[in-house]
Amino acid sequence: MSHHNIYFWILFNVFILLLLGLDLFVFHRKTHEVKIKEALGWSAFWVALSLSFNAVIYYWMGPAPALEFLTAYLIEKSLSVDNLFVFIMIFSYFRIPVQYQHKVLFWGILGALVLRATFIIVGVALLAKFHFIMYLLGAFLVFTGIKMATTEQEEIDPKANPVVKFISRYIPVTNTLVGDNFFVKYDKTWFITPLFLVLIMVETTDVVFAADSIPAILAVSRDSFIVYTSNVFALLGLRALYFALAGIMKLFHYLHYGLSLILVFIGAKLLLSDIYKLDMVYALIVVAVILIGSVVLSIFLPKKEADESNVVIKESEKHQQE
């Protein structure tokens, strides 16, 4: 059966929804704080499941598509780390208890899967019809990578988020959290809770990140099935990765530069694809070396204490002004 068969796509998505259903309604049925040990276990599970699916692709479709899947998965997984930094800032801003964060990330990632599927279908269709778009995507990735490396990460301001502003204007919002509820009813009037606003923030920021990651994956493969499935598996393990790394991600201060270099490399590969086609094996090696190298540099060249103290001072000054 061809992987472009609509029934296989339906079967794949039903399988993913089944996994997500088991995750939310069975394994995480009770609201609780996800500890590092549990998060590491789930991270190992999702990685193992992704690599198992990669093996299925190898035996079913051949080594070339399997290599494309693995490269796309690694790129999406590494670029998703930037999402985790933003999630930390959002949860910190709204002071969301750890035990409620898993539910927000679950629904946020479920929505992200739908949005990214739309981006991928449209992107593959456009690239198939208009070849020049490939150069636009390549230039965009190079520009984004340079911008990422040369500008500081902006702080999250929920009040400036247009979607949050629109919803808050027309729908009443409770002043405090109401357990892990997104909606609550008082005196026959429905209110949304701050937890729902956090969910909206997660969704909208993922759209921004998808604008970077989807073109990067399309530079690796034009097969919509490979692009979609690699994206899905990378996102599925994002929640567990968040809880496993939330406390130590600030140590990987060079990772941000590594991600920007990956975007520049993928963009350059796309721009030069008509002149020189780089073997996917070498592309995978380059991405892996950049990713591992940025992590190793972060460990052996830690950020100076003075830099960290300046951050603390800036944060305290900000709170005093508020």
Side-chain angles (χ1 to χ4, degrees):
M1 181 168 57
S2 170
H3 62 277
H4 292 291
N5 190 309
I6 186 63
Y7 295 109
F8 185 83
W9 282 75
I10 293 173
L11 185 64
F12 174 80
N13 284 289
V14 168
F15 171 69
I16 296 301
L17 289 175
L18 179 62
L19 287 175
L20 289 172
L22 288 172
D23 186 7
L24 182 65
F25 299 110
V26 178
F27 300 112
H28 293 94
R29 180 170 54 87
K30 295 182 179 180
T31 301
H32 68 285
E33 179 180 348
V34 179
K35 301 292 187 180
I36 293 181
K37 183 178 179 180
E38 180 184 355
L40 289 174
W42 277 108
S43 293
F45 168 77
W46 290 118
V47 170
L49 186 65
S50 303
L51 295 178
S52 297
F53 188 80
N54 196 186
V56 171
I57 290 179
Y58 179 85
Y59 288 107
W60 174 36
M61 298 171 61
L67 192 58
E68 288 181 359
F69 175 92
L70 183 59
T71 306
Y73 172 77
L74 183 60
I75 292 173
E76 179 60 46
K77 197 75 171 175
S78 58
L79 291 176
S80 294
V81 174
D82 248 15
N83 295 40
L84 304 186
F85 285 103
V86 176
F87 292 163
I88 289 175
M89 288 189 285
I90 294 173
F91 288 138
S92 298
Y93 184 96
F94 283 97
R95 295 180 174 83
I96 302 300
V98 178
Q99 62 266 30
Y100 300 152
Q101 293 176 11
H102 181 274
K103 182 177 180 179
V104 173
L105 291 176
F106 173 88
W107 291 108
I109 289 173
L110 184 62
L113 291 177
V114 177
L115 291 172
R116 286 175 181 241
T118 305
F119 288 164
I120 290 167
I121 293 171
V122 173
V124 170
L126 288 175
L127 283 172
K129 193 169 184 179
F130 305 105
H131 184 71
F132 71 91
I133 292 180
M134 176 181 67
Y135 299 109
L136 296 179
L137 290 179
F140 173 74
L141 288 175
V142 172
F143 170 77
T144 303
I146 295 173
K147 185 179 178 182
M148 182 186 292
T150 55
T151 58
E152 293 184 2
Q153 197 169 33
E154 298 180 358
E155 292 187 5
I156 297 297
D157 184 7
K159 295 179 182 178
N161 186 293
V163 180
V164 171
K165 287 170 65 176
F166 178 81
I167 292 177
S168 303
R169 182 179 300 174
Y170 295 102
I171 303 176
V173 183
T174 60
N175 295 324
T176 60
L177 294 173
V178 185
D180 63 348
N181 296 307
F182 291 131
F183 308 96
V184 65
K185 190 175 183 181
Y186 292 128
D187 296 328
K188 299 181 180 180
T189 301
W190 282 100
F191 290 75
I192 60 175
T193 69
L195 201 65
F196 184 75
L197 294 182
V198 172
L199 176 60
I200 296 300
M201 286 286 295
V202 169
E203 291 284 9
T204 52
T205 51
D206 182 77
V207 171
V208 175
F209 281 107
D212 297 338
S213 64
I214 298 299
I217 304 304
L218 290 173
V220 172
S221 176
R222 306 291 175 81
D223 190 317
S224 55
F225 179 77
I226 296 295
V227 176
Y228 176 68
T229 53
S230 61
N231 229 267
V232 168
F233 279 108
L235 285 175
L236 285 177
L238 191 59
R239 289 159 301 138
L241 188 63
Y242 167 83
F243 291 107
L245 300 180
I248 60 174
M249 276 195 298
K250 63 181 180 180
L251 301 177
F252 302 140
H253 52 282
Y254 282 114
L255 184 59
H256 188 69
Y257 298 102
L259 298 178
S260 65
L261 190 56
I262 288 174
L263 286 179
V264 172
F265 166 71
I266 295 299
K269 176 181 176 297
L270 200 57
L271 288 171
L272 300 173
S273 59
D274 284 340
I275 301 174
Y276 176 75
K277 289 190 178 296
L278 182 66
D279 192 294
M280 194 55 62
V281 174
Y282 298 120
L284 176 61
I285 292 173
V286 170
V287 171
V289 168
I290 293 173
L291 187 60
I292 296 171
S294 60
V295 172
V296 172
L297 276 176
S298 299
I299 295 173
F300 287 98
L301 297 175
K303 186 179 289 188
K304 295 179 181 179
E305 294 183 3
D307 295 339
E308 295 179 352
S309 62
N310 288 336
V311 173
V312 174
I313 292 172
K314 288 180 180 179
E315 286 294 322
S316 61
E317 289 177 352
K318 179 184 174 184
H319 286 301
Q320 287 176 4
Q321 290 175 0
E322 294 176 348

